[in-house]
Amino acid sequence: MGTTAASAATASPRWLVSRAFDLTWFFGGGVLSLIVLALYFAGAPIVALWWIWLLAFDGPHIGAAFTRTYFDAEEWRRRPALLLTSLLTFAVGPVFLALTVATGSQDPFLLFLAFATFYGYYHVVRQHYGFVALYNTINRDWSARTLDQVTLYVGCWAPYAYFLLTHPRARELMRLRIGHLTAVESLAAYTLVAVWLAAIGFFALHQIRRGPNPRNPKTPYLLATVLLYGLIYFAIARFEPVYGASQGPDQDFLLLSIVIVIFHNVQYVGLVWFHNRNRYADRTGHGLAGLVNRAPLMFLGACGLFSVGVYFTFACSTGVFPSCQWFTGSSALGPVTVNQIGLCLWWGLAMNHYYLDQKIWRIRGDEELKRSLRLA
C-alpha cells in the first residue's frame, strides 16, 4: 500500500462540506428514495407521489443550475458562447419532429424521446461518479481511481441494462420479442447480474484489504449508490407499471423515475447551494445570481418559483403525465401536435441542464470552481 493510500486510510475523514451537511444532502437522497418506496407500498397514490417529486425536487434542481449560470452576470462575461450554444438543445426535438413529418413515420420522434431518456440516465450516473471523484480529491485518495470508476459504472449500468432487456414494457419500446426471453437473452440477463455482483464484491474485498477502517466517505457512498440501483432495477422495476391507468411509456415507469432521480435531485440542490454560498457571499457583479443566493430561503424560493412556473407549465403541455394534460387532441402546423411541441420544450430544457452540467462542473483548470467548492 502506497503512502497516499495509507494516510487516507488512517486520517480523519474529510467531508465536502461537513458530516451533517453531506449526510443530509449528498447521502440523504438515497434514503429519500427508500422512503418513497415505503410510502408507495404503504398505499400512497403514485400520481400524488409523482407530482410531489416533480414540483418539489426535480423542477427545483433544474432551477438551481440557472442560479449559477444564466442568472450570473459574471458567467455571461466569462463564457457567453457556452450559455448561448447550450440553448441549441431546444432545437434537437424540432429537428426530429421535422423528420417525423417528412417521413410520415413516428420513428424519428420516438428515437428523440429514447435518446433524451438515455441521456438523462447518463447524466445522473455521471453525477454519482462526480461525488466519488470529489471525495477522493478532498481526501487525497487516488489509489483506486480505476476500481472506483468500474464499480460505479458497472454498478449503475448493469442493472439498467438488465431492466431494458427483461421488462416487458421496456422490451416493447426496444421492439424486442414480447413474451419469454430467448436463450441468448436469458444468458445475457444472468451475466449482467453476475457482473454486477462481481463488481461490488471486488470493490468490497479491496476495501477490506486496505485496512480495518478506510476513512474516505466515498466508500459508503459508492456502495450505497450501486446497491440502491440494484434494488430498483432488479427488484422494484418488476412492479411497473404501478399506475393502473397508464397510457404509454411516460406513465409506465412513474415509480422508477421518482426513486432513481430524487437521489440526484437532492444532491444537486445541496451542491449548488454550497457552491453559490461560497461564490456569491459578500461579492458584487453577479447580477441576479447575487440576489437570489443571499440566503438559503431566497435560493430555495427561486428554485421553487422556477418549478411551479416554468417546469409545471412544460410538464402539463406535454400531455403525457397523469392528472395534468393540456392541449390533448389539439394540433398545430398540420400533423404536428401541441403536445409534441410541449415534449420538445420539456426535453429541450432537460438536455440543456445535462449539457451545461458537463461543462460547468469541470474542476480541472477552473480555479474559480475549486475555490467555490473549497478544494483550492
Side-chain angles (χ1 to χ4, degrees):
M1 177 166 26
T3 304
T4 302
S7 60
T10 57
S12 298
R14 292 193 63 192
W15 301 87
L16 298 178
V17 184
S18 67
R19 179 185 176 91
F21 189 99
D22 286 28
L23 290 177
T24 299
W25 291 97
F26 303 150
F27 287 71
V31 177
L32 200 54
S33 294
L34 298 177
I35 292 174
V36 170
L37 288 174
L39 288 172
Y40 169 73
F41 286 111
I46 185 59
V47 174
L49 291 173
W50 195 87
W51 280 105
I52 290 171
W53 161 71
L54 193 82
L55 296 179
F57 295 94
D58 201 45
H61 107 279
I62 291 184
F66 289 170
T67 67
R68 62 151 302 196
T69 51
Y70 294 113
F71 287 12
D72 190 345
E74 176 61 28
E75 283 293 289
W76 279 104
R77 291 188 292 268
R78 182 186 178 200
R79 40 189 177 188
L82 171 63
L83 297 182
L84 290 173
T85 55
S86 66
L87 296 175
L88 291 175
T89 57
F90 287 95
V92 178
V95 168
F96 281 87
L97 196 53
L99 290 173
T100 292
V101 174
T103 61
S105 169
Q106 290 297 314
D107 286 352
F109 195 65
L110 292 175
L111 181 62
F112 160 68
L113 298 178
F115 167 76
T117 303
F118 184 84
Y119 193 7
Y121 188 73
Y122 168 83
H123 166 72
V124 170
V125 174
R126 281 291 295 172
Q127 178 178 286
H128 286 308
Y129 180 71
F131 276 95
V132 171
L134 285 173
Y135 278 120
N136 283 340
T137 298
I138 201 168
N139 285 278
R140 300 185 179 278
D141 181 10
W142 301 285
S143 61
R145 181 181 301 172
T146 300
L147 177 61
D148 292 344
Q149 291 175 329
V150 171
T151 306
L152 191 283
Y153 290 134
V154 170
C156 292
W157 282 106
Y160 183 68
Y162 175 91
F163 158 72
L164 293 178
L165 182 62
T166 61
H167 194 282
R169 297 294 178 92
R171 289 179 59 84
E172 184 178 354
L173 290 172
M174 297 176 64
R175 299 185 179 176
L176 297 174
R177 190 183 72 174
I178 307 302
H180 295 295
L181 275 63
T182 66
V184 173
E185 290 171 340
S186 295
L187 177 61
Y190 285 120
T191 300
L192 287 168
V193 176
V195 169
W196 181 79
L197 289 170
I200 296 174
F202 192 81
F203 179 82
L205 181 62
H206 174 77
Q207 301 309 314
I208 293 172
R209 287 177 173 174
R210 291 184 69 187
N213 188 25
R215 305 295 291 180
N216 188 342
K218 75 93 187 279
T219 301
Y221 172 81
L222 197 158
L223 284 172
T225 299
V226 297
L227 289 172
L228 177 64
Y229 276 53
L231 169 67
I232 291 170
Y233 281 123
F234 290 140
I236 301 302
R238 297 173 181 272
F239 293 94
E240 290 278 31
V242 299
Y243 178 51
S246 177
Q247 299 175 347
D250 297 285
Q251 300 176 17
D252 283 345
F253 305 113
L254 297 183
L255 185 59
L256 291 188
S257 297
I258 301 171
V259 295
I260 285 293
V261 185
I262 199 170
F263 190 3
H264 162 80
N265 296 153
V266 175
Q267 289 180 323
Y268 193 84
V269 170
L271 184 66
V272 173
W273 167 246
F274 175 61
H275 167 277
N276 291 2
R277 182 190 69 184
N278 296 329
R279 181 171 184 179
Y280 303 122
D282 302 323
R283 294 177 60 181
T284 59
H286 289 282
L288 186 57
L291 175 65
V292 301
N293 289 293
R294 286 182 178 176
L297 287 180
M298 294 183 68
F299 167 73
L300 292 175
C303 297
L305 283 174
F306 171 84
S307 183
V308 299
V310 177
Y311 208 57
F312 176 73
T313 300
F314 281 16
C316 292
S317 71
T318 66
V320 299
F321 300 127
S323 301
C324 189
Q325 299 177 335
W326 299 347
F327 313 121
T328 52
S330 301
S331 64
L333 302 176
V336 176
T337 68
V338 174
N339 293 143
Q340 287 176 316
I341 296 173
L343 282 165
C344 290
L345 291 171
W346 168 263
W347 282 113
L349 180 64
M351 290 191 296
N352 172 267
H353 173 69
Y354 307 154
Y355 178 77
L356 268 181
D357 261 29
Q358 292 175 213
K359 306 296 185 179
I360 64 177
W361 294 108
R362 290 180 176 177
I363 294 174
R364 184 177 299 175
D366 192 337
E367 296 304 318
E368 176 72 28
L369 179 58
K370 289 180 181 178
R371 286 191 294 271
S372 297
L373 294 177
R374 296 293 187 261
L375 298 174

